Amino acid sequence: DVKVTQSSRYLVKRTGEKVFLECVQDMDHENMFWYRQDPGLGLRLIYFSYDVKMKEKGDIPEGYSVSREKKERFSLILESASTNQTSMYLCASRISGANVLTFGAGSRLTVL
Amino acid sequence: GQQLNQSPQSMFIQEGEDVSMNCTSSSIFNTWLWYKQDPGEGPVLLIALYKAGELTSNGRLTAQFGITRKDSFLNISASIPSDVGIYFCAGPTDSWGKLQFGAGTQVVVTP
């Protein structure tokens, strides 16, 4: 089975801190995605990457950046965390051309 | 862009009851996906639908791809406590296959 691993399950950060959320997948998938999940809003796409060193903005990229230096790793970066970025962050991956995503367990970030 | 409306937002049901939820889109979809998210975990794929009118089952779950291609339904029969979670519908919004998700249906099962 494909495994998508988000190394930090729970984080607490202070306003203004730089935050890195890491995601690693082990099945050689080309495409990787970052979503945030908020009650009543479902999953909203922040950024995605179709391949190494490629990145595209999703629906809510403001306040975030990403890095994809290696195929298996997709990092989400909050340059200066703010309280409205308190959320559950979900990473996902898939084979290029497929629709089905495989998700990680999520990283719950609290910004104080 | 495309809008996905999922209803109901939440359901409180007794063990043994059947559950129904649906999603509607403002545009035509060529794929519908249904995911379940257990508390504290990431979403897991339940059923994928690829053809209008398609009816697919996975154990006690049955999903249908609406004839108009603008809606989909998920039914859970004879609910059990482990059915608790959030159920999401999703579909690709563009030729690259970016998925859009519904807001989710939270299911709570009481004994």
Side-chain angles (χ1 to χ4, degrees):
Chain A
D1 282 349
V2 176
K3 194 162 181 192
V4 179
T5 303
Q6 295 180 236
S7 51
S8 301
R9 294 295 308 273
Y10 301 94
L11 302 97
V12 179
K13 298 291 181 181
R14 296 206 177 274
T15 301
E17 279 192 78
K18 190 168 185 174
V19 182
F20 292 87
L21 298 180
E22 303 287 347
C23 175
V24 176
Q25 50 94 5
D26 65 1
M27 282 298 288
D28 206 35
H29 283 178
E30 292 86 5
N31 303 165
M32 295 188 75
F33 302 78
W34 275 106
Y35 288 85
R36 67 176 280 177
Q37 179 181 10
D38 300 288
L41 297 178
L43 279 63
R44 293 180 292 166
L45 183 62
I46 306 171
Y47 265 97
F48 58 102
S49 169
Y50 286 121
D51 213 330
V52 180
K53 299 202 186 286
M54 294 175 65
K55 57 185 177 184
E56 297 285 339
K57 291 180 180 179
D59 300 318
I60 51 164
E62 296 78 20
Y64 304 95
S65 62
V66 290
S67 172
R68 184 115 183 255
E69 294 298 315
K70 293 186 177 181
K71 193 173 187 180
E72 67 270 19
R73 187 179 297 269
F74 192 34
S75 303
L76 181 69
I77 303 153
L78 288 68
E79 292 290 340
S80 177
S82 63
T83 54
N84 63 13
Q85 290 178 311
T86 292
S87 187
M88 169 73 103
Y89 290 88
L90 291 162
C91 175
S93 73
R94 70 177 186 196
I95 294 171
S96 182
N99 283 325
V100 175
L101 295 176
T102 300
F103 284 89
S107 298
R108 185 165 291 281
L109 172 66
T110 301
V111 183
L112 302 174
Chain B
Q2 292 181 344
Q3 299 287 326
L4 271 190
N5 296 307
Q6 185 172 351
S7 66
Q9 215 172 21
S10 60
M11 306 183 73
F12 292 81
I13 57 172
Q14 283 202 314
E15 189 174 350
E17 285 184 1
D18 296 344
V19 175
S20 289
M21 62 194 79
N22 70 83
C23 262
T24 59
S25 168
S26 56
S27 303
I28 289 172
F29 274 14
N30 56 27
T31 301
W32 280 99
L33 305 173
W34 284 95
Y35 282 84
K36 183 197 177 194
Q37 184 180 29
D38 287 328
E41 299 296 328
V44 173
L45 182 71
L46 295 174
I47 293 178
L49 302 161
Y50 298 104
K51 235 165 51 169
E54 181 181 352
L55 188 72
T56 297
S57 292
N58 177 3
R60 292 177 297 106
L61 280 67
T62 302
Q64 182 161 24
F65 194 141
I67 292 291
T68 65
R69 295 170 64 192
K70 290 186 176 183
D71 57 6
S72 180
F73 306 86
L74 177 70
N75 296 313
I76 308 171
S77 62
S79 59
I80 59 178
S82 62
D83 290 333
V84 162
I86 305 176
Y87 293 77
F88 292 101
C89 61
T93 60
D94 60 20
S95 57
W96 288 101
K98 269 178 8 187
L99 287 185
Q100 180 157 14
F101 285 80
T105 295
Q106 176 131 35
V107 172
V108 176
V109 180
T110 55

